[in-house]
Amino acid sequence: VSQSRYPDRSIDAIEIEPVVAQQARFNIQNSPFKDRIQLIEANFLQYDTAHQYACIVSNPPYFKDHLEKIQSEKNTAIHATLLNHQAMIEKVAKQLQKDGYFYCILPPFQMQTLIALAEAVGLKPESITQIFNKPEKHYRDIVCFSSKATDTQQYQLLLHDETGNKTDEFHRLMDDFYLEDTSIYKKNKQ
């Protein structure tokens, strides 16, 4: 949920990896929305709150039983060892308001598995957006789940054309989210 499009909303951002949480803290402090974003350094599955959310968004880890890389932060981000999808969807179902929405992005095969898990806890796909990195390269799916979905709307988004240039569709979707001046982030990384 974009803070610029929904100015009355607040966000609880949950991050388990300390290095990523540190970068997120920096990003939040340098954001015009810093007063409405709370960073919680925790494992989502162990995050204990009675609060139920109108919207939950996740880009969860998706590799299972694959060789891991040397960088532990990267492993946490992409390997489903600390956040398996079954436990995640059960937790989402408990934390989501009855009329709430859960958005998730995953590779297509993993998304099909998540859809089955979600349906078992009463969350159905309201929309599926197939993301193509290039024509003919189905890269990821973004699914909006809800408990009230009846029909599933299907969409496609092409990010780059045949020559590798970003599409007009990509620019329309993402331009509001790009920072004008990224030099502040470059200084922080030095």
Side-chain angles (χ1 to χ4, degrees), residues 114-183:
L114 184 68
I115 288 171
L117 294 171
E119 288 176 341
V121 296
L123 295 173
K124 300 173 218 82
E126 190 160 293
S127 68
I128 299 175
T129 302
Q130 295 178 319
I131 303 173
F132 289 80
N133 194 29
K134 293 180 180 175
E136 309 298 321
K137 187 168 188 221
H138 187 180
Y139 174 66
R140 297 279 188 273
D141 286 332
I142 298 175
V143 175
C144 171
F145 294 93
S146 77
S147 62
K148 59 187 183 220
T150 54
D151 293 324
T152 304
Q153 300 297 312
Q154 300 277 345
Y155 304 98
Q156 289 188 348
L157 172 63
L158 177 62
L159 301 179
H160 301 93
D161 63 22
E162 302 81 16
T163 61
N165 293 317
K166 292 178 178 148
T167 62
D168 290 343
E169 198 176 15
F170 176 90
H171 285 291
R172 276 192 302 278
L173 180 66
M174 299 303 294
D175 278 352
D176 288 347
F177 300 97
Y178 281 110
L179 300 173
E180 300 278 336
D181 178 14
T182 60
S183 62

Side-chain angles (χ1 to χ4, degrees), residues 23-40:
Q23 182 65 51
R25 268 189 210 90
F26 177 82
N27 294 347
I28 291 167
Q29 286 307 307
N30 290 284
S31 163
F33 314 112
K34 66 182 175 186
D35 295 334
R36 291 185 277 140
I37 303 173
Q38 174 186 346
L39 179 69
I40 300 160

Side-chain angles (χ1 to χ4, degrees), residues 47-63:
Y47 175 58
D48 188 23
T49 181
H51 183 75
Q52 288 194 304
Y53 294 92
C55 183
I56 297 175
V57 178
S58 182
N59 180 8
Y62 49 87
F63 284 132

Side-chain angles (χ1 to χ4, degrees), residues 8-14 36 38 40 44 47-56 90-100:
D8 61 330
R9 302 292 177 150
S10 62
I11 293 176
D12 289 345
I14 301 173
R36 291 185 277 140
Q38 174 186 346
I40 300 160
F44 173 68
Y47 175 58
D48 188 23
T49 181
H51 183 75
Q52 288 194 304
Y53 294 92
C55 183
I56 297 175
E90 290 172 3
K91 178 76 171 180
V92 164
K94 289 178 186 171
Q95 298 298 149
L96 199 61
Q97 292 175 0
K98 185 174 182 166
D99 60 345

Side-chain angles (χ1 to χ4, degrees), residues 65-118:
D65 302 324
H66 281 69
L67 291 175
E68 295 190 9
K69 298 182 183 285
I70 294 171
Q71 294 174 290
S72 64
E73 301 91 21
K74 183 113 178 169
N75 288 330
T76 303
I78 66 173
H79 290 275
T81 52
L82 295 177
L83 182 63
N84 76 64
H85 296 166
Q86 175 79 42
M88 176 188 72
I89 202 68
E90 290 172 3
K91 178 76 171 180
V92 164
K94 289 178 186 171
Q95 298 298 149
L96 199 61
Q97 292 175 0
K98 185 174 182 166
D99 60 345
Y101 297 95
F102 171 52
Y103 290 86
C104 189
I105 182 169
L106 282 171
F109 177 77
Q110 288 86 346
M111 186 58 82
Q112 290 307 310
T113 302
L114 184 68
I115 288 171
L117 294 171

